[in-house]
Amino acid sequence: MDRYEVLKKYFGYEAFRKGQEFLIDALLKGRDVLGIMPTGAGKSICYQVPALLMPGVTVVVSPLISLMKDQVAALNQAGVHAAYINSSLSETQIKKALQLAAGGQYKIVYVAPERLLTFDFMQFARLAEISMVTVDEAHCISQWGQDFRPGYRKIADFVRSLPKRPVIGAFTATATEIVREDIAEALGLSDPQILVTGFDRKNLCFSVETPKKKDGWVLQYVRGHASESGVIYCATRKNVETVYRLLSENDIPVTKYHAGLANGERKQNQEDFIYDRKPVMVATNAFGMGIDKSNVRYVIHYNMPQSMENYYQEAGRAGRDGEPAACILLYSAQDLVIGRFLLEGKEQSPELTGEEAQALRRQDEERLRGMDMYCTTTDCLRQYILRYFGEEAKDRCENCSNCLAAFEELDVTEEAKQVIACVEELKGRYGINVVVGTLLGENRAKLREYGVSEYPSYGKLKGRSQPEVKEIIRRMTEEELLTVSGDKYGLLGTAPKARAVLDGDKTVCIRRRTDRTDESFGESRSAGKNRRPELLNSRGLELFELLRRLRAKIAREESVPPYLIFSDRTLTDLCVKLPFTGEEMLQVSGVGESKLAKYGERFLKTVRSFAKGEREKLYFGEEAPAAGLREKALEKPSGERKKGGKGAFYITPQQAKTFSYCEKYLIPELAAVLSEFRDPETMKKLSGAEIFRWLQQEGYVEQKRVSGRWQKLVSEKGRAAGLFLAARTGKNGTEYEDIYCGEQAQRMIAGRYVRTKD
Ligand code: ADP
């Protein structure tokens, strides 16, 4: 067998991912490797495939019992003989397993580093033919990494004690140069082939949301994604308890995890989550290390994490199966305060000198501010993350809440002048909160204490919102018009470039989202592109649900987590390919020979009885979407996004023809009457906001601030297309102008949603 055959036969995949082949070939040629790949990139395949092609056995050093258990269960499911040796087994079980391993029963043996030099393991190692030693989570060997594990230092001794030096493969997702060098040296890698793949996780959609009520938002989102598994991270145990209570009181199958729970309860809760008995987990950051659950469809951060490093690691637990998943951060200005408070209370090692301790504090403070910038930027979020980690990135990814949102440019030069004046009056002695409070003319105790009401700039931006003024200051810092001190106070000062603004030689603009409404609770942008409901039509989703239930049933029978039977991606691909025979089912991504033999018949039966012998098309679009969606995005109007389990809104050409166009409709009215055509069970409602966003993107309408108030306007292009402004009376009796769609405009808008029925 060659490596492709192994990949297909055992793992059921058609092709290697970026980098995998390179590392596999090196290992097969006997060269040490160091693979640095982000979570979910597919590191395991890099050593599991060569392990199956090499003679003898591969020893995999892994830091956590749960990780080993998961990997071994997955391998056994795939028909590979594997075992683990760790403290969850009794001494007798260990002896037995090692005996079998020495007798050639297993191709892959997972072991905790502390076990390597024990008598029993050494005896096995001398008897067995060990062709490869693989080190998983290799950064644990480095004191510079976040998770130093002294036991990892024993690996090199172990390798030296073997009669024949095996080839060594080391894998991690941590990429800093110093950790990388440390790994190579401490493991004694000889001229290793090093591969660093990009940090980008294309299937993840990143969003930052600023709901007024986070609780309501979370509840709505979780309800709207009832069939999906997700994690909600909170900054404190108290928050975990509150969110947990909220969800469980609303009958959501939810569990929780934090360091304050007893060991037994933590373990039980973790299992409930992994086995999808309770698919929603509310946890502090104590949860997650070693969790390999591949079908986590969303990770919500209820509070802002302390650093981008933490955020990316936690959010990265979504979508390990390569299927689209959402990473949503719920931000409020309060989060920075909580973050600072947590930093204050963070214990520092007593071994540090005062200077080192201070340097670390500064670094923490900078990281926190970097995280705050992520939450408030209006630029592409993916670009922000990748550049933070030192990678090149395109300006726009088209799959984050900022790229998918509607924005308008606002000239805030006048406001910027006020900010500069204020910072100068305060003589660089205060941070952003005092500056903003002063400009807004707030009457807080702290501000009174500082006597800011005496300054001429006090109240100069009264009437503006706090986030808006903060955004102006953030933009000014980015453009190096203002400076921020690197200490924990973040004191604002003016930079030399500020002069140009005062002299009228430079303008300052901010971008402002026009689609942030509280109705958009847990939908729209946060769902991301290419989610399952956008690929599969309503019949497809129906079949998916049947297959998901079958998977849950088998998982219960076999006491394994459902995702180890088939991943969500495999279920989706089953709906797309609709196999009737075993041979056809082997073409489905993630179906290898062993799984076909074990589960093929039951899944095929469900598919066949659902399709009743008809080759029905269960997906949108002309071509079958590729498994994993990495390669394929379906072309659809940008407004079509997912809500709950429903498909995007559309009307048929016939409906567009028979629609009763009339003299004028307000945009929300038009949305409502068009929505009457849909089947509410399967199709999302069309919203006025969505139509407005599109009209704005296309330049038909705009929104501008006129004497301090937001006003909607129709452009020349809009007027030519049949849009016009006319008076209407608001709820409280005030009269104002709003946009109306004339008949021509109604036809244009309806036409945009026409699609032939699938
Ligand atoms: P990592 O260890 O890098 O976090 P994993 O090894 O757990 O990632 O792999 C993540 C997921 O990707 C798993 O579900 C795995 O089966 C899948 N996978 C790995 N390689 C491929 C491939 N070549 N084609 C399709 N899926 C793959």
Side-chain angles (χ1 to χ4, degrees):
M1 264 204 293
D2 65 18
R3 54 199 197 288
Y4 297 107
E5 285 163 338
V6 169
L7 184 72
K8 182 75 209 148
K9 177 174 159 115
Y10 292 100
F11 303 97
Y13 298 135
E14 291 297 327
F16 286 104
R17 286 188 186 156
K18 217 169 126 191
Q20 285 179 332
E21 220 169 349
F22 177 79
L23 293 178
I24 290 170
D25 286 349
L27 286 169
L28 286 174
K29 279 190 201 129
R31 178 132 177 226
D32 290 349
V33 308
L34 173 54
I36 294 155
M37 298 158 117
T39 310
K43 290 186 274 295
S44 323
I45 293 276
C46 296
Y47 57 83
Q48 289 167 348
V49 168
L52 289 168
L53 287 165
M54 285 179 185
V57 55
T58 288
V59 169
V60 182
V61 183
S62 175
L64 286 168
I65 293 177
S66 58
L67 258 180
M68 294 186 214
K69 257 174 113 166
D70 208 70
Q71 293 265 356
V72 167
L75 284 169
N76 287 325
Q77 284 290 339
V80 176
H81 296 289
Y84 56 80
I85 310 288
N86 61 38
S87 57
S88 73
L89 304 181
S90 67
E91 283 305 314
T92 330
Q93 284 172 317
I94 290 180
K95 278 201 166 55
K96 181 87 201 295
L98 287 175
Q99 239 171 28
L100 289 173
Q105 271 289 316
Y106 303 121
K107 282 306 283 177
I108 305 182
V109 172
Y110 282 78
V111 62
E114 291 77 12
R115 288 263 146 202
L116 287 171
L117 297 177
T118 58
F119 178 78
D120 286 343
F121 200 81
M122 287 303 298
Q123 202 173 22
F124 145 77
R126 268 191 290 272
L127 287 174
E129 183 189 358
I130 298 179
S131 9
M132 175 161 63
V133 170
T134 294
V135 186
D136 202 8
E137 310 287 350
H139 61 281
C140 292
I141 208 167
S142 169
Q143 294 193 20
W144 300 101
Q146 290 170 331
D147 316 298
F148 175 54
R149 244 319 254 275
Y152 264 61
R153 295 277 175 181
K154 295 188 179 154
I155 302 172
D157 294 339
F158 170 73
V159 170
R160 266 193 296 274
S161 74
L162 295 175
K164 187 170 158 241
R165 187 190 186 276
V167 61
I168 305 180
F171 297 88
T172 174
T174 308
T176 58
E177 190 66 37
I178 187 159
V179 173
R180 204 184 303 173
E181 280 170 13
D182 228 16
I183 294 173
E185 200 192 299
L187 284 177
L189 299 184
S190 105
D191 182 25
Q193 187 78 268
I194 299 178
L195 176 90
V196 186
T197 62
F199 260 58
D200 193 9
R201 299 267 313 275
K202 291 202 171 51
N203 60 321
L204 301 185
C205 171
F206 293 94
S207 313
V208 175
E209 298 292 337
T210 48
K212 283 204 193 88
K213 297 207 169 86
K214 289 186 181 181
D215 283 353
W217 197 100
V218 168
L219 181 60
Q220 197 103 348
Y221 187 92
V222 174
R223 273 194 179 139
H225 296 77
S227 62
E228 297 182 350
S229 176
V231 181
I232 300 159
Y233 277 112
C234 302
T236 60
R237 293 177 197 179
K238 201 168 139 231
N239 279 351
V240 169
E241 291 294 342
T242 323
V243 175
Y244 169 76
R245 211 170 320 119
L246 169 79
L247 296 180
S248 50
E249 278 168 5
N250 281 282
D251 299 326
I252 307 274
V254 58
T255 182
K256 61 182 172 179
Y257 192 104
H258 58 69
L261 301 176
N263 260 344
E265 187 177 359
R266 277 211 305 261
K267 198 162 162 244
Q268 176 64 40
N269 294 357
Q270 179 166 320
E271 286 220 334
D272 283 346
F273 173 68
I274 287 176
Y275 284 74
D276 274 341
R277 291 189 286 261
K278 294 185 178 162
V280 180
M281 167 63 87
V282 186
T284 59
N285 60 6
F287 174 76
M289 170 82 161
I291 303 294
D292 246 350
K293 192 172 198 288
S294 76
N295 65 337
V296 175
R297 294 272 68 86
Y298 60 86
V299 171
I300 297 176
H301 277 75
Y302 190 83
N303 303 103
M304 178 177 83
Q306 301 256 291
S307 69
M308 188 46 97
E309 283 84 352
N310 291 349
Y311 182 60
Y312 206 54
Q313 192 177 41
E314 288 158 18
R317 295 189 176 123
R320 292 176 73 117
D321 52 10
E323 284 281 280
C327 305
I328 308 160
L329 199 160
L330 303 184
Y331 177 72
S332 74
Q334 190 63 15
D335 283 338
L336 191 60
V337 182
I338 300 177
R340 290 231 165 90
F341 175 77
L342 291 175
L343 279 191
E344 295 284 326
K346 189 168 153 185
E347 276 186 28
Q348 287 198 321
S349 160
E351 286 162 24
L352 295 175
T353 65
E355 226 167 77
E356 284 170 333
Q358 247 182 8
L360 269 184
R361 266 277 135 76
R362 256 202 309 278
Q363 182 177 321
D364 283 346
E365 182 63 36
E366 250 165 54
R367 285 183 171 166
L368 186 67
R369 252 202 301 277
M371 199 59 229
D372 194 57
M373 293 268 263
Y374 171 81
C375 297
T376 48
T377 183
T378 50
D379 295 336
C380 170
L381 294 175
R382 175 172 271 103
Q383 170 238 223
Y384 185 94
I385 297 172
L386 294 178
R387 292 192 187 157
Y388 182 92
F389 289 115
E391 261 184 45
E392 299 275 318
K394 281 193 298 196
D395 283 345
R396 289 174 63 84
C397 73
E398 306 300 347
N399 194 20
C400 72
S401 57
N402 283 348
C403 286
L404 296 173
F407 279 102
E408 62 192 348
E409 282 279 316
L410 279 186
D411 185 329
V412 290
T413 314
E414 284 313 307
E415 288 86 343
K417 286 182 185 167
Q418 297 296 350
V419 172
I420 295 169
C422 179
V423 170
E424 283 183 346
E425 281 162 19
L426 297 177
K427 301 203 171 53
R429 279 178 305 174
Y430 300 105
I432 187 163
N433 287 326
V434 174
V435 173
V436 172
T438 306
L439 284 162
L440 294 179
E442 284 174 359
N443 183 19
R444 280 187 271 139
K446 258 266 148 49
L447 296 178
R448 281 200 301 276
E449 195 183 306
Y450 298 148
V452 298
S453 59
E454 303 299 316
Y455 294 100
S457 57
Y458 183 75
K460 274 280 157 49
L461 295 182
K462 210 177 179 90
R464 304 298 168 80
S465 75
Q466 204 186 65
E468 188 179 344
V469 180
K470 277 198 169 171
E471 171 63 10
I472 296 172
I473 294 181
R474 200 192 61 75
R475 175 58 70 179
M476 291 173 74
T477 320
E478 221 168 61
E479 295 194 10
E480 294 175 350
L481 302 169
L482 297 178
T483 57
V484 189
S485 68
D487 54 21
K488 69 175 178 179
Y489 305 109
L491 305 178
L492 287 176
T494 49
K497 277 194 196 167
R499 206 51 278 143
V501 178
L502 297 176
D503 293 345
D505 293 334
K506 177 166 175 44
T507 54
V508 180
C509 288
I510 57 167
R511 295 172 78 221
R512 194 188 144 103
R513 263 167 79 162
T514 54
D515 59 344
R516 258 190 175 150
T517 60
D518 259 14
E519 305 149 33
S520 65
F521 268 157
E523 53 146 336
S524 70
R525 302 162 308 277
S526 305
K529 286 203 300 194
N530 286 338
R531 305 266 293 173
R532 193 181 318 118
E534 292 204 334
L535 291 173
L536 300 181
N537 59 25
S538 54
R539 287 272 295 156
L541 290 175
E542 213 179 297
L543 176 60
F544 184 91
E545 190 51 33
L546 290 177
L547 298 176
R548 200 176 68 81
R549 284 201 203 136
L550 174 61
R551 178 178 69 176
K553 185 159 179 268
I554 300 177
R556 269 196 305 278
E557 288 166 13
E558 298 194 1
S559 299
V560 295
Y563 64 90
L564 285 188
I565 296 188
F566 283 133
S567 68
D568 282 6
R569 173 200 288 197
T570 299
L571 298 193
T572 309
D573 209 29
L574 277 168
C575 299
V576 168
K577 299 208 169 107
L578 215 67
F580 291 168
T581 66
E583 207 169 304
E584 285 170 358
M585 185 156 165
L586 271 178
Q587 304 307 311
V588 170
S589 173
V591 182
E593 284 175 15
S594 158
K595 289 198 183 176
L596 177 72
K598 264 195 258 182
Y599 310 120
E601 211 26 68
R602 290 174 81 176
F603 278 89
L604 283 170
K605 208 167 138 204
T606 306
V607 171
R608 278 194 301 254
S609 82
F610 178 86
K612 302 200 177 62
E614 291 278 323
R615 288 287 175 185
E616 202 181 343
K617 185 158 89 54
L618 302 182
Y619 49 87
F620 290 124
E622 293 306 312
E623 273 173 59
L629 319 160
R630 199 168 298 103
E631 301 84 350
K632 183 120 183 89
L634 286 181
E635 274 294 312
K636 288 209 251 138
S638 67
E640 294 182 47
R641 287 175 210 127
K642 167 195 158 118
K643 176 174 187 177
K646 295 180 187 172
F649 173 84
Y650 69 88
I651 52 175
T652 63
Q654 188 58 22
Q655 288 167 337
K657 258 189 231 149
T658 54
F659 179 71
S660 48
Y661 298 97
C662 71
E663 188 198 330
K664 62 176 187 183
Y665 272 128
L666 281 164
I667 295 176
E669 286 172 356
L670 179 63
V673 284
L674 281 174
S675 291
E676 280 170 18
F677 281 123
R678 86 201 154 109
D679 168 5
E681 293 291 301
T682 58
M683 208 188 282
K684 184 185 151 187
K685 206 167 167 176
L686 178 62
S687 74
E690 191 175 316
I691 298 181
F692 184 81
R693 254 190 328 259
W694 176 69
L695 291 173
Q696 197 179 25
Q697 267 163 19
E698 298 294 316
Y700 291 108
V701 300
E702 55 188 321
Q703 209 168 17
K704 264 212 176 113
R705 194 174 208 133
V706 182
S707 31
R709 289 191 52 180
W710 287 105
Q711 227 174 56
K712 291 175 182 165
L713 300 169
V714 176
S715 68
E716 204 162 308
K717 181 176 171 190
R719 276 194 294 280
L723 294 158
F724 57 90
L725 281 178
R728 69 178 283 210
T729 314
K731 277 192 199 121
N732 52 6
T734 51
E735 204 158 270
Y736 63 100
E737 287 200 311
D738 206 345
I739 298 173
Y740 284 85
C741 312
E743 185 176 334
Q744 182 195 346
Q746 292 163 28
R747 286 186 190 278
M748 169 179 84
I749 292 166
R752 182 178 140 70
Y753 291 96
V754 169
R755 194 158 70 205
T756 36
K757 255 201 180 107
D758 290 296

